[in-house]
Amino acid sequence: MISQIFILSSKGDHLIYKDFRGEESKDSINVFYEMVTALSGDQPPIVMVNSGFLGDLMSGLHFIHARQDGLYWVASTKTNPSPFTIIEFLNRLAALTKDYCGSLSEKSVRMNFALIYELLDEMVDFGYIQTTSTDILKNFIQTEAVSSKPFSLFDLSNVGLFGAETQQSKVAPSVAASRPIMSSRGEQGGKNEIFVDVIARLSVVIGSKGVLMKADIQGEIRIKCFLPTCSEMRIGLNEELSIGKSQLKGYSSAVRVDECRFHQAVKLDEFDTFRILKVCPSQGEQTVMQYQLCDELPCAPPFQLFPSVEKDYVNRSVNLSMVLIFLKLRCDLPPKSTALNVSITVPVPKGSTSMSQELSSPDQTAELQPKNKALLWEIPRFPGGAQLSALFKVDVPGLSSASLLEVGPVSMSFELPKQTCTGLQIRFLRLSPTQTGLSQRWVRYVTHSDSYTIRI
Amino acid sequence: LKVINCCVWDPSGEIFELKAELNSDKKEKKKEAVKKVIASMTVGKDVSALFPDVVNCMQTDNLELKKLVYLYLMNYAKSQPDMAIMAVNTFVKDCEDPNPLIRALAVRTMGCIRVDKITEYLCEPLRKCLKDEDPYVRKTAAVCVAKLHDINAQLVEDQGFLDTLKDLISDSNPMVVANAVAALSEIAESHPNSNLLDLNPQTINKLLTALNECTEWGQIFILDCLANYMPRDDRESQSICERVTPRLSHANSAVVLSAVKVLMKFMEMLPKDLDYYGTLLKKLAPPLVTLLSAEPELQYVALRNINLIVQKRPEILKHEMKVFFVKYNDPIYVKLEKLDIMIRLASQANIAQVLAELKEYATEVDVDFVRKAVRAIGRCAIKVEQSAERCVSTLLDLIQTKVNYVVQEAIVVIKDIFRKYPNKYESVIATLCENLDSLDEPEARAAMIWIVGEYAERIDNADELLESFLEGFHDESTQVQLQLLTAIVKLFLKKPTETQELVQQVLSLATQDSDNPDLRDRGYIYWRLLSTDPVAAKEVVLAEKPLISEETDLIEPTLLEELICHIGTLASVYHKPPSAFVEGSRVHLRIPHTRVSTRPHPHSPLKCCPAPHSALGPAIVQVSTRKVPVILLGSRLWTLSITSAMPASLGGAPAVGGGLGDLFDLGGGVGMPTGSYVAPKTAWLLAMKAKGLEISGTFARRGGIIQMDLSLTNKAMSVMTDFAIQFNRNSFGLAPAGPMQVLTPLSPNQTIDVSLPLSMSGPVMKMEPLNNLQVAVKNNIDVFYFSCQYPLSLLFVEDGKMDRQVFLATWKDIPNDNEAQFQIKDIHLNSDVASNKLQGSNIFTIAKRTVEGQDMLYQSVKLTNGIWVLAEMRIQTGNPNYTLSIKCRAPEVCQFVYQCYELVLKN
C-alpha cells in the first residue's frame, strides 16, 4: 500500500505532496531527498530508510521512485507491496500528468497542482491504486489544465518530426502532440487529431570481426488521441505479419516478430486473419501494442564500423606516446533515408591527456572526455549509403601495450526517422463511419538506438 | 483578537488577505483563494489558522470547490479535531446527495479524517454507501471500511462492516470486487487467525471471473490475493494456472509479475511429469524476458525477481542468457544485477559466450562494475570446470593491463581458483608476485599473502616477500595481519632452517605488540604448538583444506522458498523476508509441495553460512574458536586433544562423545529430577542417503527442558564440519533453542553425540501426523532432510495437575463427541505403580475411585501450548487390559496421548 506520494523538482522543492494513510509525517520528503542525493551516480529505485538519517523515527519506511523529465516521482510505503506495481504506477502518473497538462516540467506541475491533486484523489484511495485510465478519470475531473504555453497555430510551423526536416509535406509537427488533452471547447486547441507512432528500439552488438553477435528490436505502437469521444478505430498492419519463433524462416517477404503484447482494450478478433487491431482509444497517450524480435535483424544493421587502433611514439626516448584511432563508419540505410544525431563513443586508455582529430566535414564534432575515459564523435546528419571517416590522435603518456586493450568497445546512439527495422507498417487507420466532425490522423515511424555496441 | 494574532506571525499579511478572499461572495474568487491556500500547504507553510474560513466554503454545489475544500480538510483535520466536527454535518448530508460523485467524495474524505470523534458519525453513512446503487460509491465505501478499521478496529467489527465487505466479493462490478479484496486482505493481515478472507473454490472462482473484467490495478489485487490460496490438489492447481496464464501477456508489467508469482507458487503442486508442467515452464520465459525491455527502474525490480526465479527453477531461463548481457548505457544498478544472473545461468553450454562478454566488461569505465566482472570470471572458473583454464588465462590478460583495481580483484579470485583446483594453475604464481607492490587493498593483500604462504615451497624468495610485508605490520588491517601470521608459520613449517628468525619476529609482533585479541590468541596458539609438538603443528596448520563450494552466494533454500512466495514485493527486491523490515507482518502461507517433503523453516535461528570468501585457513579458524580453555588448561591437555584429532569442547557444550567427552557427558539423564521415559535412539537419516552422514536420535524431556539427542556418525571418507540444524514449522512450534554445538570437525568413522535443547517458540503449522517433525541438517557437504516423530509426552508440562473441581466441570463441559476410548493391553501393574509411572511423564492422577473391584483413575495432562487433556483409566483387578477414555477440546491429540500412555506403561 502506498503511504504517501510526492513529486519533487530536481532541486528538492516540494511540488506535490499527498498523504494517503497518515502513517508518516511530511519530513519523509526531506529524508528521501537527502538519501538520493547523498550518493553520487544512479541510485536504485528502491531505498529503505535506515537509522542514521532521521534516526529510528522513520524506520521501516521505504521509498520507491522514478525519475521522469527531471522530476522525482516518489511513493513511500511501510508495508511489503509490489514495487513493480508502484513504479509502473508512478510512470503512469507522469504520463497522465503529461496528458492533462500538455507537457511535463517543474513549471507545468506547479501551475497545475490543483488538477494533479484531483487526479491523485481519483487514482489512489487509502494507498490502493484505483485507476489510471483517462476514460474513467474524465468522468470525475473538474479542474481545467493551465497550459504553460498556450497552444497556438504558429507552433504548426515547419519544425519537423523528431527534428527532421520535412521534404515530404504531410508530417505532423512534433509540438502538435504536446498539449493538454482536456482543453475546453471553443479554444483552437480542441482539434480532433490522432497520432499513431510506430517506435522501435534497437539493441545490437557487433563483434570485432564485423559479425552480428546480438540484435534485438523492441517496438511499440503508441496512440496519442485528442478526440473527445472516440468510437472504434481500426489499425491495419502488414497482412503478412507473422508472430512467433516457430514460423518458417527464410520467407523473404514476411514481416516477423517473436512476441507481442496488447493493451487490454484492444480487440483482436480480426487480428489473426487480417492483422487488424480494433481499439477505442481513450484520450491521451497509450501503448496499444508492444512487440519484440530477438536475435535477428530483418535488414542489415544500420551502421558498420571499420576501426584500426595503433600505438605510435612521438618520441621514444622520453616515452611520449599516442594512440592512433582510425574509424571508418558506413551507413547501410537506403540512400533516401538519413540517420540523425549520430554519436559515437570510443573508450580510450586511462591517462589520456589530449586529442587531435581529422574529421571529414565541418558540422561534425569530436572531443575527449577524460572523466569518462572516452572520446565522443558527433555527426548531426548521416545519409544512407554514405561513408565517413575520422582519425583521432590521443596522447597517452607512458603507454603500454596492454593499454590498447582499453580502447573499445565503441558505442553509438542515433535516430532513424521514418524507419522500422522489423518492416512493420500501418496499412490503414480507419475511424468508424459514425465518427462526426473532421479528424486528422497521423502516422509516424521512428527507430532509436537503445544500445548499439561495436567491439574492436 | 484573531486578526492581531495573525499579524504577529504573518508579517506579509498573506493570511489576512486570504481570509478576506475566502469570505468573498464570488465563487470564482473563493475557489482561487482555496487554491492559494493549498499551494501554501504543499510547500509547507502553516495555513491551519484558516480552518474555519475554509470549512465555510464547504457548502457549495460547485464540485471543483468542494474537492479543494476536502483536500484541505484531510490535511488539517487531525491537528484541529474540534473544528473538524464542524464539517461533519456537511459530510453526512453529502452522503445522501443525489449525485453519486458527491456521495463517494464525502465517504472517501470522511475516512481520511483520522479523528476519533468523527468515526461514530461515519458509521451510518458508510452503511448506506456500502449498499449504494452506484458501483463508484460502493467501491469507495469498500476502501473506507479499511480506513475505519485502521482508526478503530473494534468499531468496524461491532458494526458488522466486515460481513458486508465479504458480501462485496460477490458484487457484480469488478472494481468493487477488487477493492473489497484489497481491503479484506489488509484487514486480514492484522487478524492472522481470522477467517476473513475465506478462500474456497467458490470464492476463487468468483475472483477468477472478476479477474477478466477488472482494471489492470484491480487484477493485481486479485492475483496477489489468489497467491495466498492453497489449492486442494494438483487438478485445482492446474485449472487456476490455466486461467491465470493469459495475464502473462498483459501490457502492464506489474500484472505480469503478479501472475508469475501465482504460477511459480502453484507450480509446486503440479507433478513434474505432467505435460502441462512443461508447457507452463515454457510459457514463463517470454514474459520474463519482456520485462527487461521496460524502464531501467522496472528492469531493476524484474532482475531482482528473476534472480530468485533462476535459483529456484534455472530451467525456465537457461536458453535466454543473451538477454542478460549488459548494455553500455544500462544504469549501474541494472548492470550489477545482470552480471549476477549471468553467472547463475553460466553452464558448460554457454560458458564461451559468457566469458567473452565478461572480458569486455572488465575494460569498462565504472569501477564497481569492472570489479564485479573480474570476480565473475573467477566464479565461472569455479562453477564450470571445463572453463577454468580459459578463465585463468583471461584473468592473466587482465592483470597485464596493470589497472590497479583489476589486478587486485583478479588476485582475490585466483586464490579461490587455487583452492578449487589445487596443483593445477600454480604456474601463474610468478606473474602474481610481480604485482605485489601495487596491492593496496586489504583483501587483495591478504589473498596474495595466503598464496605465498600456501605455496612457499615453490616460491624461492617467499621469505623475502613475506618479510617485506612484515615491515609495516602494525599499519595493516587485521585481516592482513592474521593472514601474515599464518603464512609465516606455514613457511616456517615448510622451510624451518632459514626462517626461524622471521617466525620469531611475527610471533612476538602478534603476541606482544598487538592489542587485538584475535591476533594475540592466534599467535599464542602457534607459539605453543610450535614449541611443544612441531609434528602436531604441521598436522594442524598444513592440514588438507576442504574444497570450496561451487556457488558461494546462493540464497539459503528456506529463505528462497519464502521469497518465491513474495515475488514482486519489496521482499523480493531486498532478498529479505518481510518480517525483517515490516513491523508485525504476518507469516505467509508456504508453498505447497507435491509430496510433503522435509523442508526446514525459514524463521528458525539457523544461518547457513557458506564458507566465507576470506576463510583462508580453515584449520586455523577452528582452532582459534577454542582458544580460551586452551590457554587456561595449559599445553598438556592441548597436545592431548590435538593427537586424539578430536579435541573436546570444554567450553560448555551440552554433550560430547569419545574418550575425554564421557567425563563431561551430562546429557545421559543421570542426575535429572524426573525420570520420564526416553525411547532408545532410532536411525533417522541413513548414510547412503546423506553422502555419508548418519543420524540417529531420540527426544527427551528433562526437568522441564526438551532435548533432542542426536548421534552424528561420519561414514564418508572426508572430514565433516560446519554442522547446523533447523526445523520446518510443526504442530507445536518446536524449534532449536540454540545452534547445534558441534565444534569439532567430525572425522571419518567418528560418532558424536549432541543434545540440542528445544524451545516451543517456533512457528506453528499443523502436520500430518500431528507429531511429525521435519528436520534439515547441514554440513560442509550439503543439506539433508529427514522427518521423525516425537512422543507427545515431550510436551506434557510439569504443572499439569488440574484442580479436582475444575476437572469435574471441564469433563462435563467437553462434549461427548470428543471422547475417545482405547485399550491398553498386557499391562501387569497395579493402579498405584501405574499412576507413579505416569506421573514421571507428567501425567497426573487427580482422583482414584474403586467401584466393584475396578480402579478408576482420573488424570490430567497439560500440553505446552495450554491444551488440557483429561483421561479416565479403568483397571480391573486381574485383567491385564486397561481401558482408557480421553477427552480433550482438540480431539486430534487423543490418539497421540494414548500412544504415550502405552509407551510409558510398557517400559
Side-chain angles (χ1 to χ4, degrees), chain B residues 462-464 466-467 470 485 487-509 527 530-532 534:
Chain B
D463 49 343
E464 280 169 39
L466 291 176
E467 198 170 359
L470 206 55
L485 173 62
I488 292 179
V489 172
K490 281 182 190 166
L491 174 71
F492 171 71
L493 290 167
K494 289 175 179 176
K495 301 180 183 171
T497 46
E498 314 124 62
T499 56
Q500 202 137 19
E501 205 174 306
L502 196 60
V503 83
Q504 288 285 347
Q505 203 182 337
V506 77
L507 285 175
S508 86
L509 277 172
W527 201 321
L530 294 173
S531 56
T532 41

mmCIF file of all heavy atoms in Angstrom, chain B residues 462-464 466-467 470 485 487-509 527 530-532 534:
data_model
loop_
_atom_site.group_PDB
_atom_site.id
_atom_site.type_symbol
_atom_site.label_atom_id
_atom_site.label_comp_id
_atom_site.label_asym_id
_atom_site.label_seq_id
_atom_site.Cartn_x
_atom_site.Cartn_y
_atom_site.Cartn_z
ATOM 1 N N ALA B 462 60.073 -16.595 -1.078
ATOM 2 C CA ALA B 462 58.884 -16.424 -0.247
ATOM 3 C C ALA B 462 59.215 -15.683 1.041
ATOM 4 O O ALA B 462 58.474 -14.811 1.484
ATOM 5 C CB ALA B 462 58.266 -17.781 0.066
ATOM 6 N N ASP B 463 60.363 -16.043 1.643
ATOM 7 C CA ASP B 463 60.700 -15.389 2.911
ATOM 8 C C ASP B 463 60.915 -13.896 2.730
ATOM 9 O O ASP B 463 60.472 -13.088 3.528
ATOM 10 C CB ASP B 463 61.930 -16.055 3.545
ATOM 11 C CG ASP B 463 63.062 -16.216 2.559
ATOM 12 O OD1 ASP B 463 62.791 -16.118 1.340
ATOM 13 O OD2 ASP B 463 64.210 -16.424 2.993
ATOM 14 N N GLU B 464 61.554 -13.522 1.622
ATOM 15 C CA GLU B 464 61.758 -12.085 1.374
ATOM 16 C C GLU B 464 60.426 -11.369 1.193
ATOM 17 O O GLU B 464 60.197 -10.290 1.743
ATOM 18 C CB GLU B 464 62.587 -11.869 0.104
ATOM 19 C CG GLU B 464 64.065 -12.052 0.292
ATOM 20 C CD GLU B 464 64.753 -12.074 -1.072
ATOM 21 O OE1 GLU B 464 64.350 -11.288 -1.959
ATOM 22 O OE2 GLU B 464 65.665 -12.898 -1.258
ATOM 23 N N LEU B 466 57.444 -12.179 2.249
ATOM 24 C CA LEU B 466 56.677 -12.048 3.484
ATOM 25 C C LEU B 466 57.353 -11.059 4.430
ATOM 26 O O LEU B 466 56.691 -10.290 5.121
ATOM 27 C CB LEU B 466 56.519 -13.411 4.147
ATOM 28 C CG LEU B 466 55.617 -14.372 3.366
ATOM 29 C CD1 LEU B 466 55.575 -15.740 4.034
ATOM 30 C CD2 LEU B 466 54.212 -13.814 3.242
ATOM 31 N N GLU B 467 58.653 -11.073 4.417
ATOM 32 C CA GLU B 467 59.368 -10.144 5.283
ATOM 33 C C GLU B 467 59.044 -8.701 4.909
ATOM 34 O O GLU B 467 58.897 -7.841 5.774
ATOM 35 C CB GLU B 467 60.877 -10.404 5.179
ATOM 36 C CG GLU B 467 61.651 -9.813 6.333
ATOM 37 C CD GLU B 467 63.104 -10.276 6.347
ATOM 38 O OE1 GLU B 467 63.484 -11.069 5.457
ATOM 39 O OE2 GLU B 467 63.834 -9.842 7.245
ATOM 40 N N LEU B 470 56.058 -7.661 6.457
ATOM 41 C CA LEU B 470 56.154 -7.606 7.915
ATOM 42 C C LEU B 470 56.599 -6.232 8.408
ATOM 43 O O LEU B 470 56.294 -5.842 9.536
ATOM 44 C CB LEU B 470 57.137 -8.686 8.377
ATOM 45 C CG LEU B 470 56.954 -9.216 9.795
ATOM 46 C CD1 LEU B 470 55.547 -9.729 9.986
ATOM 47 C CD2 LEU B 470 57.965 -10.318 10.065
ATOM 48 N N LEU B 485 50.524 -13.775 9.718
ATOM 49 C CA LEU B 485 50.938 -14.668 10.806
ATOM 50 C C LEU B 485 50.867 -16.126 10.353
ATOM 51 O O LEU B 485 51.831 -16.893 10.460
ATOM 52 C CB LEU B 485 50.022 -14.417 12.013
ATOM 53 C CG LEU B 485 50.151 -15.344 13.211
ATOM 54 C CD1 LEU B 485 51.537 -15.253 13.804
ATOM 55 C CD2 LEU B 485 49.105 -14.985 14.267
ATOM 56 N N ALA B 487 50.685 -17.314 7.315
ATOM 57 C CA ALA B 487 51.554 -17.603 6.177
ATOM 58 C C ALA B 487 52.995 -17.828 6.639
ATOM 59 O O ALA B 487 53.674 -18.736 6.159
ATOM 60 C CB ALA B 487 51.483 -16.465 5.166
ATOM 61 N N ILE B 488 53.441 -17.021 7.586
ATOM 62 C CA ILE B 488 54.833 -17.172 8.035
ATOM 63 C C ILE B 488 54.995 -18.476 8.816
ATOM 64 O O ILE B 488 56.019 -19.168 8.697
ATOM 65 C CB ILE B 488 55.276 -15.944 8.855
ATOM 66 C CG1 ILE B 488 55.343 -14.736 7.913
ATOM 67 C CG2 ILE B 488 56.632 -16.182 9.504
ATOM 68 C CD1 ILE B 488 55.748 -13.445 8.567
ATOM 69 N N VAL B 489 53.993 -18.845 9.574
ATOM 70 C CA VAL B 489 54.074 -20.127 10.277
ATOM 71 C C VAL B 489 54.121 -21.279 9.276
ATOM 72 O O VAL B 489 54.898 -22.222 9.411
ATOM 73 C CB VAL B 489 52.898 -20.280 11.266
ATOM 74 C CG1 VAL B 489 52.875 -21.680 11.843
ATOM 75 C CG2 VAL B 489 53.005 -19.256 12.375
ATOM 76 N N LYS B 490 53.313 -21.166 8.221
ATOM 77 C CA LYS B 490 53.348 -22.198 7.180
ATOM 78 C C LYS B 490 54.732 -22.280 6.567
ATOM 79 O O LYS B 490 55.287 -23.365 6.364
ATOM 80 C CB LYS B 490 52.352 -21.860 6.066
ATOM 81 C CG LYS B 490 50.906 -22.178 6.367
ATOM 82 C CD LYS B 490 50.081 -21.831 5.128
ATOM 83 C CE LYS B 490 48.598 -21.874 5.407
ATOM 84 N NZ LYS B 490 47.831 -21.226 4.319
ATOM 85 N N LEU B 491 55.274 -21.101 6.266
ATOM 86 C CA LEU B 491 56.601 -21.037 5.662
ATOM 87 C C LEU B 491 57.625 -21.708 6.569
ATOM 88 O O LEU B 491 58.457 -22.488 6.113
ATOM 89 C CB LEU B 491 56.962 -19.563 5.419
ATOM 90 C CG LEU B 491 58.376 -19.266 4.921
ATOM 91 C CD1 LEU B 491 58.509 -19.722 3.480
ATOM 92 C CD2 LEU B 491 58.685 -17.782 5.026
ATOM 93 N N PHE B 492 57.510 -21.424 7.857
ATOM 94 C CA PHE B 492 58.451 -21.993 8.812
ATOM 95 C C PHE B 492 58.349 -23.518 8.842
ATOM 96 O O PHE B 492 59.357 -24.231 8.869
ATOM 97 C CB PHE B 492 58.176 -21.406 10.202
ATOM 98 C CG PHE B 492 58.947 -22.080 11.300
ATOM 99 C CD1 PHE B 492 60.324 -21.908 11.423
ATOM 100 C CD2 PHE B 492 58.297 -22.892 12.216
ATOM 101 C CE1 PHE B 492 61.030 -22.527 12.437
ATOM 102 C CE2 PHE B 492 59.003 -23.523 13.225
ATOM 103 C CZ PHE B 492 60.377 -23.342 13.346
ATOM 104 N N LEU B 493 57.131 -24.020 8.798
ATOM 105 C CA LEU B 493 56.959 -25.466 8.835
ATOM 106 C C LEU B 493 57.494 -26.122 7.572
ATOM 107 O O LEU B 493 57.905 -27.276 7.582
ATOM 108 C CB LEU B 493 55.484 -25.819 9.039
ATOM 109 C CG LEU B 493 54.939 -25.487 10.428
ATOM 110 C CD1 LEU B 493 53.428 -25.561 10.449
ATOM 111 C CD2 LEU B 493 55.530 -26.423 11.469
ATOM 112 N N LYS B 494 57.477 -25.367 6.482
ATOM 113 C CA LYS B 494 57.979 -25.939 5.230
ATOM 114 C C LYS B 494 59.478 -25.778 5.087
ATOM 115 O O LYS B 494 60.154 -26.648 4.566
ATOM 116 C CB LYS B 494 57.270 -25.269 4.048
ATOM 117 C CG LYS B 494 55.815 -25.690 3.938
ATOM 118 C CD LYS B 494 55.097 -24.925 2.854
ATOM 119 C CE LYS B 494 53.646 -25.407 2.790
ATOM 120 N NZ LYS B 494 52.861 -24.660 1.825
ATOM 121 N N LYS B 495 59.986 -24.619 5.490
ATOM 122 C CA LYS B 495 61.427 -24.381 5.393
ATOM 123 C C LYS B 495 61.957 -23.951 6.756
ATOM 124 O O LYS B 495 62.290 -22.777 6.954
ATOM 125 C CB LYS B 495 61.707 -23.260 4.385
ATOM 126 C CG LYS B 495 61.205 -23.506 2.980
ATOM 127 C CD LYS B 495 61.581 -22.292 2.126
ATOM 128 C CE LYS B 495 61.081 -22.390 0.716
ATOM 129 N NZ LYS B 495 61.262 -21.144 -0.037
ATOM 130 N N PRO B 496 62.016 -24.877 7.703
ATOM 131 C CA PRO B 496 62.328 -24.474 9.086
ATOM 132 C C PRO B 496 63.706 -23.843 9.255
ATOM 133 O O PRO B 496 63.891 -22.984 10.090
ATOM 134 C CB PRO B 496 62.202 -25.776 9.877
ATOM 135 C CG PRO B 496 62.099 -26.866 8.877
ATOM 136 C CD PRO B 496 61.821 -26.308 7.553
ATOM 137 N N THR B 497 64.653 -24.256 8.444
ATOM 138 C CA THR B 497 66.027 -23.827 8.707
ATOM 139 C C THR B 497 66.246 -22.332 8.505
ATOM 140 O O THR B 497 66.836 -21.665 9.346
ATOM 141 C CB THR B 497 66.999 -24.605 7.809
ATOM 142 O OG1 THR B 497 66.458 -24.608 6.490
ATOM 143 C CG2 THR B 497 67.173 -26.020 8.308
ATOM 144 N N GLU B 498 65.701 -21.771 7.368
ATOM 145 C CA GLU B 498 66.065 -20.389 7.049
ATOM 146 C C GLU B 498 65.154 -19.359 7.702
ATOM 147 O O GLU B 498 65.413 -18.177 7.625
ATOM 148 C CB GLU B 498 66.012 -20.151 5.517
ATOM 149 C CG GLU B 498 66.670 -21.229 4.699
ATOM 150 C CD GLU B 498 65.727 -21.834 3.683
ATOM 151 O OE1 GLU B 498 65.267 -21.079 2.801
ATOM 152 O OE2 GLU B 498 65.435 -23.044 3.776
ATOM 153 N N THR B 499 64.049 -19.796 8.253
ATOM 154 C CA THR B 499 63.057 -18.787 8.584
ATOM 155 C C THR B 499 62.765 -18.661 10.073
ATOM 156 O O THR B 499 61.785 -18.050 10.458
ATOM 157 C CB THR B 499 61.741 -19.103 7.851
ATOM 158 O OG1 THR B 499 61.370 -20.433 8.215
ATOM 159 C CG2 THR B 499 61.871 -18.999 6.380
ATOM 160 N N GLN B 500 63.652 -19.241 10.866
ATOM 161 C CA GLN B 500 63.418 -19.207 12.305
ATOM 162 C C GLN B 500 63.257 -17.778 12.839
ATOM 163 O O GLN B 500 62.369 -17.480 13.624
ATOM 164 C CB GLN B 500 64.589 -19.878 13.012
ATOM 165 C CG GLN B 500 64.218 -20.363 14.388
ATOM 166 C CD GLN B 500 64.772 -21.738 14.653
ATOM 167 O OE1 GLN B 500 65.694 -22.194 13.983
ATOM 168 N NE2 GLN B 500 64.222 -22.423 15.621
ATOM 169 N N GLU B 501 64.120 -16.941 12.331
ATOM 170 C CA GLU B 501 64.116 -15.556 12.801
ATOM 171 C C GLU B 501 62.805 -14.859 12.468
ATOM 172 O O GLU B 501 62.217 -14.147 13.274
ATOM 173 C CB GLU B 501 65.270 -14.832 12.125
ATOM 174 C CG GLU B 501 65.768 -13.632 12.906
ATOM 175 C CD GLU B 501 67.002 -13.068 12.233
ATOM 176 O OE1 GLU B 501 67.966 -13.848 12.010
ATOM 177 O OE2 GLU B 501 66.972 -11.879 11.903
ATOM 178 N N LEU B 502 62.361 -15.116 11.232
ATOM 179 C CA LEU B 502 61.132 -14.478 10.757
ATOM 180 C C LEU B 502 59.942 -14.880 11.626
ATOM 181 O O LEU B 502 59.120 -14.039 12.032
ATOM 182 C CB LEU B 502 60.904 -14.914 9.311
ATOM 183 C CG LEU B 502 59.905 -14.112 8.486
ATOM 184 C CD1 LEU B 502 60.340 -12.671 8.392
ATOM 185 C CD2 LEU B 502 59.766 -14.717 7.098
ATOM 186 N N VAL B 503 59.867 -16.163 11.939
ATOM 187 C CA VAL B 503 58.711 -16.633 12.688
ATOM 188 C C VAL B 503 58.746 -16.079 14.117
ATOM 189 O O VAL B 503 57.730 -15.680 14.675
ATOM 190 C CB VAL B 503 58.605 -18.172 12.627
ATOM 191 C CG1 VAL B 503 59.484 -18.838 13.653
ATOM 192 C CG2 VAL B 503 57.163 -18.612 12.828
ATOM 193 N N GLN B 504 59.940 -15.993 14.666
ATOM 194 C CA GLN B 504 60.088 -15.376 15.993
ATOM 195 C C GLN B 504 59.541 -13.955 15.974
ATOM 196 O O GLN B 504 58.795 -13.533 16.854
ATOM 197 C CB GLN B 504 61.584 -15.299 16.369
ATOM 198 C CG GLN B 504 62.211 -16.633 16.698
ATOM 199 C CD GLN B 504 61.796 -17.132 18.069
ATOM 200 O OE1 GLN B 504 61.244 -16.370 18.841
ATOM 201 N NE2 GLN B 504 62.025 -18.404 18.354
ATOM 202 N N GLN B 505 59.952 -13.281 14.909
ATOM 203 C CA GLN B 505 59.596 -11.882 14.789
ATOM 204 C C GLN B 505 58.066 -11.707 14.719
ATOM 205 O O GLN B 505 57.480 -10.892 15.419
ATOM 206 C CB GLN B 505 60.236 -11.355 13.510
ATOM 207 C CG GLN B 505 60.439 -9.863 13.488
ATOM 208 C CD GLN B 505 61.036 -9.442 12.155
ATOM 209 O OE1 GLN B 505 61.658 -10.253 11.457
ATOM 210 N NE2 GLN B 505 60.831 -8.190 11.795
ATOM 211 N N VAL B 506 57.431 -12.517 13.866
ATOM 212 C CA VAL B 506 55.989 -12.334 13.690
ATOM 213 C C VAL B 506 55.239 -12.755 14.946
ATOM 214 O O VAL B 506 54.262 -12.128 15.347
ATOM 215 C CB VAL B 506 55.467 -13.061 12.431
ATOM 216 C CG1 VAL B 506 55.350 -14.548 12.660
ATOM 217 C CG2 VAL B 506 54.119 -12.493 12.011
ATOM 218 N N LEU B 507 55.738 -13.800 15.618
ATOM 219 C CA LEU B 507 55.050 -14.237 16.833
ATOM 220 C C LEU B 507 55.156 -13.177 17.920
ATOM 221 O O LEU B 507 54.179 -12.908 18.631
ATOM 222 C CB LEU B 507 55.643 -15.566 17.329
ATOM 223 C CG LEU B 507 55.235 -16.792 16.509
ATOM 224 C CD1 LEU B 507 55.953 -18.045 16.999
ATOM 225 C CD2 LEU B 507 53.727 -16.998 16.549
ATOM 226 N N SER B 508 56.267 -12.539 17.993
ATOM 227 C CA SER B 508 56.372 -11.535 19.051
ATOM 228 C C SER B 508 55.561 -10.300 18.670
ATOM 229 O O SER B 508 54.954 -9.659 19.524
ATOM 230 C CB SER B 508 57.837 -11.199 19.339
ATOM 231 O OG SER B 508 58.287 -10.201 18.473
ATOM 232 N N LEU B 509 55.517 -9.973 17.370
ATOM 233 C CA LEU B 509 54.680 -8.846 16.949
ATOM 234 C C LEU B 509 53.224 -9.116 17.299
ATOM 235 O O LEU B 509 52.510 -8.250 17.792
ATOM 236 C CB LEU B 509 54.795 -8.627 15.435
ATOM 237 C CG LEU B 509 55.978 -7.824 14.923
ATOM 238 C CD1 LEU B 509 56.029 -7.885 13.413
ATOM 239 C CD2 LEU B 509 55.855 -6.373 15.393
ATOM 240 N N TRP B 527 52.473 -20.361 18.845
ATOM 241 C CA TRP B 527 53.702 -20.388 19.643
ATOM 242 C C TRP B 527 53.772 -21.682 20.442
ATOM 243 O O TRP B 527 54.733 -22.426 20.441
ATOM 244 C CB TRP B 527 53.718 -19.180 20.584
ATOM 245 C CG TRP B 527 55.096 -18.822 21.061
ATOM 246 C CD1 TRP B 527 56.088 -19.685 21.415
ATOM 247 C CD2 TRP B 527 55.612 -17.502 21.220
ATOM 248 N NE1 TRP B 527 57.204 -19.002 21.795
ATOM 249 C CE2 TRP B 527 56.951 -17.639 21.680
ATOM 250 C CE3 TRP B 527 55.108 -16.213 21.027
ATOM 251 C CZ2 TRP B 527 57.757 -16.543 21.945
ATOM 252 C CZ3 TRP B 527 55.924 -15.138 21.304
ATOM 253 C CH2 TRP B 527 57.229 -15.296 21.752
ATOM 254 N N LEU B 530 54.074 -24.793 18.233
ATOM 255 C CA LEU B 530 55.409 -24.977 17.666
ATOM 256 C C LEU B 530 56.398 -25.400 18.740
ATOM 257 O O LEU B 530 57.287 -26.211 18.488
ATOM 258 C CB LEU B 530 55.885 -23.679 16.999
ATOM 259 C CG LEU B 530 55.089 -23.257 15.770
ATOM 260 C CD1 LEU B 530 55.518 -21.892 15.276
ATOM 261 C CD2 LEU B 530 55.252 -24.290 14.656
ATOM 262 N N SER B 531 56.236 -24.877 19.941
ATOM 263 C CA SER B 531 57.220 -25.197 20.973
ATOM 264 C C SER B 531 56.977 -26.572 21.585
ATOM 265 O O SER B 531 57.902 -27.216 22.063
ATOM 266 C CB SER B 531 57.223 -24.113 22.052
ATOM 267 O OG SER B 531 55.920 -23.975 22.559
ATOM 268 N N THR B 532 55.743 -27.049 21.598
ATOM 269 C CA THR B 532 55.503 -28.350 22.226
ATOM 270 C C THR B 532 55.600 -29.497 21.248
ATOM 271 O O THR B 532 56.197 -30.525 21.542
ATOM 272 C CB THR B 532 54.121 -28.409 22.879
ATOM 273 O OG1 THR B 532 53.202 -27.769 22.024
ATOM 274 C CG2 THR B 532 54.122 -27.748 24.229
ATOM 275 N N PRO B 534 55.985 -29.899 17.169
ATOM 276 C CA PRO B 534 56.023 -29.438 15.769
ATOM 277 C C PRO B 534 55.277 -30.370 14.829
ATOM 278 O O PRO B 534 54.713 -29.919 13.836
ATOM 279 C CB PRO B 534 57.509 -29.412 15.439
ATOM 280 C CG PRO B 534 58.210 -29.375 16.755
ATOM 281 C CD PRO B 534 57.319 -30.060 17.749
#
